[in-house]
């Protein structure tokens, strides 16, 4: 495999003629409900570059939504997955098991927070992992209620749609949803009425009060939260919020579940975002960055809780596929060898410095936040009112795309530009991507 030159290159408009041809074919046979951020068709990807079928090379600030953390063609991932492909593609672990599944579970026991005995079960997607975490928590506690938070995103299956906060596009018209799901406030510092300095204590008190009064702690099987909220807007819960919820859960026999699907595997400058405040969840859900782009997910947690489900109560035909497990071992190898935890911290340093300077210059940027290589800017019409500005957010993303920078939007209000570069991106490409963003900001009609 020839390495892709690590340089931005535009040879056609974005999208180019070949991508437009493929788009026409797509529209004839692919369901309209499956949308794409940018209709350029990929030909190759690696490092910090995505090359399309027209030969354009885009700087990748998306990583396939935090999936290609180690790059889209990491040597160890390709090597291990290729070797496994040659041996066998599938036996179904529930029929005849294989070592790769066990080895991935051993790595998860080692890497996830806490030094207690842990076990894992492997699945295909993040939503599947979250759904199985609920099954496990209900089996362990013999309770039914599940607590989730404002701005949460946990997936698109029926149960995880119920857990997800945002209606459009994830839930609209797809109900009825699963019962016994309860939503409480999250510590969103930028938008907290009394200011970020009060947010952690006040939000945790409100959440605990609502759980206690409206549900009853003795009825709650699980509290599920993303340590850094992803689709909801890259919200870092204000300090103190997560530990308060974890203490409450422990005191009342509630399973505390950290959804690390987007924030895990070095993305935030730690192996897992929970480590930031010393959080040791009972269960951790992982996917996305776990396997270098192949479909794999996991629930990892306290051995006694993980063993609560009866034999054959967990599983799935493809869960822990041997090729995906091999890829995961290659991804973890790469993370360790390249010290991607440190690389994520360096990316944060560069991005926050640049983005904070842009905030000083452009009033449309209300907030700069995030950790590691999970960074975002929130765009507002007015800094005083903090009124969300989704139109400008969309226009800014489109302008970046046209100049060869792949960026993603998110947020409950659609007004957050999120940055998820591969952790192997070169600093020159990272800075060039930020240059493109700054030029796009400067070209906005009301740029200040």
């Amino acid at each position: 495999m020839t390495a892709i030159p690590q340089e931005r290159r535009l040879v056609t408009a974005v999208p180019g003629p070949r991508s437009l041809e493929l788009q026409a074919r797509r529209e004839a046979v692919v369901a309209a409900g499956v949308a794409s951020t940018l209709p350029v068709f990929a030909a190759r990807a690696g490092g910090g570059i995505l090359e399309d079928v027209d030969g354009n090379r885009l700087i990748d600030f998306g990583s396939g939504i935090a999936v290609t953390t180690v790059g889209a063609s990491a040597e160890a991932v390709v090597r291990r997955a290729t070797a496994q492909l040659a041996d066998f593609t599938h036996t179904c672990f529930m029929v005849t098991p294989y070592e790769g599944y066990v080895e991935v579970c051993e790595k998860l026991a080692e890497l996830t927070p806490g030094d207690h005995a842990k076990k894992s079960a492997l699945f295909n997607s993040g939503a599947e992992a979250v759904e199985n975490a609920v099954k496990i928590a209900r089996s362990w506690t013999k309770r039914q209620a599940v607590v989730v938070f404002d701005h949460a995103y946990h997936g698109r299956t029926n149960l995880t749609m119920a857990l997800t906060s945002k209606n459009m596009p994830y839930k609209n018209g797809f109900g009825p949803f699963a019962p016994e799901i309860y939503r409480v406030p999250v510590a969103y510092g930028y938008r907290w009425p009394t200011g970020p300095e009060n947010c952690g204590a006040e939000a945790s008190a409100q959440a605990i009060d609502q759980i206690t009064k409206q549900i009853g702690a003795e009825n709650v099987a699980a509290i599920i939260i993303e340590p850094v909220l992803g689709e909801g807007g890259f919200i870092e819960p204000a300090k103190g919020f997560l530990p308060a919820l974890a203490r409450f859960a422990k005191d009342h026999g509630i399973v505390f579940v950290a959804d690390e699907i987007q924030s895990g595997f070095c993305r935030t400058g730690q192996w897992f975002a929970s480590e930031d405040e010393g959080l040791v969840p009972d269960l951790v859900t992982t996917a996305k960055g776990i396997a270098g782009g192949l479909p794999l997910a996991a629930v990892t947690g306290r051995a006694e809780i993980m063993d609560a489900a009866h034999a054959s109560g967990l599983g799935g035909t493809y869960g822990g596929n041997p090729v995906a497990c091999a890829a995961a071992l290659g991804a973890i190898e790469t993370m360790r060898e390249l010290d991607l935890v440190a690389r994520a911290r360096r990316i944060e340093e560069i991005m926050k410095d640049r983005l904070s300077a842009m905030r000083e210059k452009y009033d449309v940027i209300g907030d700069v936040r995030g950790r590691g290589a999970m960074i975002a800017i929130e765009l507002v019409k007015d800094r005083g009112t903090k009124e969300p500005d989704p139109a400008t957010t969309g226009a800014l993303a489109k302008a970046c795309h046209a100049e060869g920078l792949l960026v993603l939007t998110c947020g409950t209000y659609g007004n957050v530009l999120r940055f998820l570069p591969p952790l192997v991106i070169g600093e020159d490409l990272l800075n060039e991507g930020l240059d493109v963003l700054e030029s796009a900001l400067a070209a906005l009609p009301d740029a200040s």
Side-chain angles (χ1 to χ4, degrees):
M1 182 184 67
T2 305
I4 300 171
Q6 295 295 294
E7 56 188 29
R8 179 172 63 110
R9 181 181 73 171
L10 295 178
V11 295
T12 72
V14 178
R18 182 72 181 124
S19 281
L20 291 173
E21 287 175 16
L22 288 168
Q23 180 66 15
R25 286 171 55 189
R26 167 197 170 135
E27 287 171 0
V29 293
V30 178
V34 182
S36 298
T37 297
L38 178 57
V40 301
F41 282 71
R44 298 191 300 161
I49 290 289
L50 187 151
E51 183 175 294
D52 73 12
V53 290
D54 290 290
N56 298 304
R57 295 193 194 116
L58 284 68
I59 299 174
D60 184 7
F61 274 17
S63 298
I65 316 182
V67 169
T68 54
T69 299
V70 296
S73 50
E75 185 276 332
V77 173
V78 174
R79 168 171 41 83
R80 286 181 180 249
T82 301
Q84 181 57 55
L85 273 168
D87 289 339
F88 59 92
T89 61
H90 177 76
T91 66
C92 185
F93 190 78
M94 298 181 300
V95 178
T96 54
Y98 36 87
E99 185 178 358
Y101 189 118
V102 177
E103 193 173 352
V104 169
C105 293
E106 288 171 340
K107 298 293 185 189
L108 288 165
E110 176 190 347
L111 294 170
T112 51
D115 56 7
H116 51 276
K118 300 174 201 162
K119 292 188 177 184
S120 294
L122 304 184
F123 305 98
N124 302 292
S125 70
E128 222 181 318
V130 173
E131 193 140 333
N132 278 276
V134 172
K135 288 166 61 176
I136 293 162
R138 284 174 169 166
S139 294
W140 171 252
T141 62
K142 312 303 180 193
R143 305 170 184 176
Q144 294 184 345
V146 177
V147 172
V148 288
F149 294 83
D150 288 338
H151 309 288
Y153 178 82
H154 297 292
R156 297 173 184 260
T157 59
N158 185 262
L159 176 58
T160 56
M161 280 192 295
L163 301 174
T164 290
S165 178
K166 190 175 180 179
N167 173 55
M168 192 67 183
Y170 305 114
K171 302 166 73 168
N172 194 54
F174 297 145
F177 302 113
E180 287 300 310
I181 308 297
Y182 300 88
R183 194 170 310 285
V184 297
V186 76
Y188 189 169
Y190 177 64
R191 293 191 173 275
W192 196 253
T194 61
E197 66 280 1
N198 302 311
C199 183
E202 291 181 1
S204 58
Q206 282 189 26
I208 289 167
D209 184 65
Q210 284 185 217
I211 295 167
T212 304
K213 300 290 195 310
Q214 297 180 23
I215 314 164
E218 68 279 6
N219 296 314
V220 178
I223 293 172
I224 307 175
I225 191 165
E226 304 154 270
V228 178
L229 281 71
E231 178 59 28
F234 280 31
I235 300 162
E236 292 182 86
K239 298 299 183 193
F241 180 80
L242 292 171
L245 267 294
R247 282 193 301 271
F248 174 79
K250 184 176 182 181
D251 290 346
H252 294 88
I254 300 166
V255 177
F256 189 84
V257 183
D259 179 342
E260 292 260 15
I261 288 160
Q262 191 162 164
S263 60
F265 288 100
C266 307
R267 174 57 60 182
T268 63
Q270 292 161 306
W271 274 95
F272 294 93
S274 299
E275 297 172 49
D276 184 61
E277 291 187 88
L279 214 62
V280 180
D282 297 310
L283 301 179
V284 177
T285 60
T286 52
K288 293 195 182 290
I290 193 174
L294 275 73
L296 187 69
V299 183
T300 302
R302 297 185 184 278
E304 64 274 18
I305 298 177
M306 291 296 299
D307 281 343
H310 52 270
S312 298
L314 305 177
T317 302
Y318 299 106
N321 171 271
V323 181
C325 286
L329 296 171
I332 291 167
E333 176 187 328
T334 304
M335 291 171 195
R336 283 180 152 156
E337 285 191 359
L338 299 182
D339 192 3
L340 294 191
V341 165
R343 293 279 282 272
R345 290 174 180 166
R346 176 61 181 154
I347 289 169
E348 176 183 350
E349 182 183 353
I350 293 168
M351 294 199 86
K352 279 197 168 174
D353 280 353
R354 294 284 309 271
L355 294 170
S356 295
M358 291 181 211
R359 184 183 181 276
E360 292 298 312
K361 197 170 179 181
Y362 302 104
D363 288 343
V364 71
I365 301 177
D367 194 29
V368 176
R369 58 175 178 259
R371 296 205 301 272
M374 190 173 178
I375 304 292
I377 54 175
E378 179 164 354
L379 305 186
V380 294
K381 293 181 180 179
D382 180 272
R383 283 192 184 174
T385 65
K386 299 181 182 177
E387 182 184 350
D389 194 346
T392 298
T393 306
L396 190 58
K398 191 173 181 180
C400 289
H401 297 162
E403 292 301 320
L405 174 65
L406 178 58
V407 295
L408 306 173
T409 60
C410 67
T412 302
Y413 311 111
N415 70 320
V416 176
L417 211 58
R418 56 174 158 173
F419 309 111
L420 292 160
L423 302 189
V424 295
I425 193 170
E427 290 189 16
D428 54 342
L429 271 186
L430 186 65
N431 275 301
E432 186 178 354
L434 292 166
D435 291 341
V436 171
L437 173 66
E438 184 153 19
S439 295
L441 277 164
L444 290 173
D446 298 322
S448 51

